[in-house]
């Protein structure tokens, strides 16, 4: 289940995971696990340190409060925004809330069928996190198994991204 919100330039995504908070924390902060469902990361991953996601954004680790919150600057294309991920226990599950701001509303839906917006970009990653936590991803780095995905799997991902984009369009109303 995904909850979406956008208000005053802040994109907010909330998802429930059937995993303990410590496991979700480890999956989003450990380079060895992050590469499995998202992107390779390098740098000094402590508060005040700088990180770089391969082929994507980089920035500074602003705060890190294990196992509940991580805050980062998100530096890409000459712009600097803030990403905060919070984890809250919910019984034997975890609620992950990701906020990204400031984000202009026009960057959230897909720009075209081949160019995902921020909404689909973040949510596709969070779907992959769910698959990782459930043990449903192939071995190895996500970028490698995505590069060798079948045409059917790529088409299904494109359909999912468009559905997410359509849902964001409704939120932006």
């Amino acid at each position: 289940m995904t909850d979406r919100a956008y208000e005053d330039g802040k994109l907010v995504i909330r998802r429930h995971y059937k995993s303990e908070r410590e496991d979700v924390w480890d999956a989003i902060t450990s380079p060895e696990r992050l590469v499995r469902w998202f992107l390779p990361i390098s740098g000094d991953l402590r508060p005040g340190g700088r990180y770089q996601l391969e082929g994507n954004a980089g920035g500074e680790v602003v705060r890190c409060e294990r196992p509940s919150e991580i805050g980062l600057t998100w530096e890409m294309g000459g712009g600097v925004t803030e990403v905060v991920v919070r984890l809250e226990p919910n019984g034997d599950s975890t609620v992950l809330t990701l906020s990204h701001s400031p984000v202009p509303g026009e960057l959230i839906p897909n720009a075209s069928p081949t160019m995902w917006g921020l909404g689909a970009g973040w949510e596709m990653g969070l779907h992959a996190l769910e698959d990782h936590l459930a043990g449903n991803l192939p071995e190895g780095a996500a970028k490698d198994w995505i590069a060798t995905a079948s045409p059917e799997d790529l088409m299904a991902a494109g359909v999912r991204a468009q559905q997410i984009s359509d849902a964001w369009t409704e939120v932006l109303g």
Side-chain angles (χ1 to χ4, degrees):
M1 173 76 167
T2 302
D3 296 319
R4 300 170 185 91
Y6 180 76
E7 188 172 318
D8 297 327
K10 183 184 283 189
L11 171 148
V12 179
I13 302 168
R14 177 172 285 137
R15 286 190 52 94
H16 298 257
Y17 293 96
K18 294 180 181 177
S19 294
E20 298 286 338
R21 183 164 67 162
E22 281 288 340
D23 190 36
V24 178
W25 178 264
D26 188 60
I28 68 170
T29 61
S30 164
E32 297 78 23
R33 290 188 68 189
L34 198 58
V35 70
R36 297 266 337 275
W37 65 272
F38 196 57
L39 291 168
I41 190 169
S42 59
D44 181 359
L45 305 180
R46 298 175 293 174
R50 296 199 54 83
Y51 73 94
Q52 180 64 51
L53 290 164
E54 186 177 301
N56 204 299
E60 180 183 346
V61 178
V62 177
R63 66 187 162 283
C64 183
E65 299 171 15
R66 181 183 189 103
S68 59
E69 183 176 313
I70 187 162
L72 315 162
T73 63
W74 190 262
E75 301 171 18
M76 187 172 187
V80 179
T81 55
E82 179 182 13
V83 173
V84 176
V85 178
R86 290 184 179 94
L87 301 178
E88 300 173 46
N90 184 13
D92 60 353
S93 296
T94 301
V95 177
L96 180 149
T97 303
L98 179 145
S99 64
H100 190 161
S101 65
V103 175
E106 62 268 13
L107 296 181
I108 295 173
N110 292 352
S112 72
T114 58
M115 181 179 253
W116 294 351
L118 279 176
W122 278 121
E123 285 194 49
M124 294 296 281
L126 295 176
H127 280 284
L129 172 59
E130 182 174 14
D131 288 339
H132 169 70
L133 292 166
N136 295 332
L137 292 182
E139 290 298 316
K143 68 177 190 158
D144 295 334
W145 53 259
I146 290 169
T148 59
S150 71
E152 295 80 17
D153 287 342
L154 292 174
M155 179 159 308
V159 168
R160 176 181 268 180
Q162 187 59 53
Q163 291 168 338
I164 293 168
S165 179
D166 293 345
W168 276 107
T169 299
E170 286 184 32
V171 168
L172 295 167

